[in-house]
Structures are given as C-alpha cells and as structure tokens.
Amino acid sequence: MVVDDGTGVMQCIIWIPDEYKMIQNTSLVPGLKTFELGQVVRVTGCPGEYRGEIQLTVQPGDVSLCSDPNDETVFRLQVLNMEKVYTNAVKLPPHIRDQATFEQASQSTKSAVDKQHPTKTTLFNAIRDWVSNRKGEEFTFMELDDDPVIRDLAMTMASQV
C-alpha cells in the first residue's frame, strides 16, 4: 500500500500474521481492510528503511478509515506546526551548554557506540556530544537529524519499539 499525505509518498508494508499465511482469501484476516484511492485513512506503524527507501511497517488493523471530515485538515495543521518546530533554531541556555562541555571534557575515554543495541542514554550521549562539538550555540532539529550516527541510533531504537 502506498500512502500520500500531501507532503510526500511512503510505501507501507503490511505483514500478515503467520497463522493466516496459508489463507487464499485475505478478507478473512482480522483487521485487514482494503481502501479506495482518495479515501482518507489513519496509518500507525514503525518507520524503517529497506534498500535505501524509507517505509512504514504496519500490522493488520493499524490502518483505519477516517470518519471525521476534519481529520485531514487537523493533520495538515499538525504538519505545519512540526515544520516550525524542526526548522526554527534552538538556542541552548549557557548553563546547559557549559554542563555538556564539562561532562564531555571529564570523560577520559569514550566508550564505543553500541549501534546494535542503543539505549536512551546512548542516544542522549550522542546528541550531547554533537551539541558540545558545535561551533555556534544555535542549531535546528533538521541539522541534528542530518548527523548519520544520531539518525541511525534513532532509527534503530524506533525499530525496536
């Protein structure tokens, strides 16, 4: 299934539970629905990457038809609000920036980043190091997302949820 929210198009992969794999008629799979082109749906899933393309992995029942005609408008307003959040500069207060610099300097040896099993602490430390290594005091979330180590850690953590 391909979904289009007006800002882009994304492939959605729906995995059929093992107990239904031998069924020829997919309409017998609980929660699995078909939709018509142009219908407004709500999709919930786990983001991932396959062959260099971002995709959303969903389970049967994670896609539902929107019944409220305002759902699409509300979603577009949320996207506009998120754009403001991700493109506006963030300026760290001096005490937080000084603390991050102090903590980084006090580490005598840096532990290797566990990319296979990252934790919230691993991601926090990677972000803290990124912020403390910046020349300026301002940055945007999009700049932070451009860092491949932080992006990979975040994607790995998201796929483990």
Side-chain angles (χ1 to χ4, degrees), residues 117-147:
H117 303 93
T119 63
K120 287 181 183 178
T121 303
T122 308
L123 182 58
F124 173 79
N125 289 337
I127 293 170
R128 185 197 64 211
D129 292 346
W130 182 87
V131 168
S132 64
N133 288 327
R134 301 237 345 131
K135 302 274 189 265
E137 293 183 5
E138 291 186 3
F139 64 92
T140 66
F141 287 109
M142 292 186 78
E143 290 174 308
L144 183 62
D145 185 51
D146 285 341
D147 184 274

Side-chain angles (χ1 to χ4, degrees), residues 13-18 21 29 32 55-60:
I13 306 301
I14 300 176
W15 293 106
I16 308 275
D18 289 340
K21 286 194 176 181
V29 177
L32 189 61
Q55 68 180 20
L56 194 65
T57 302
V58 298
Q59 302 297 322

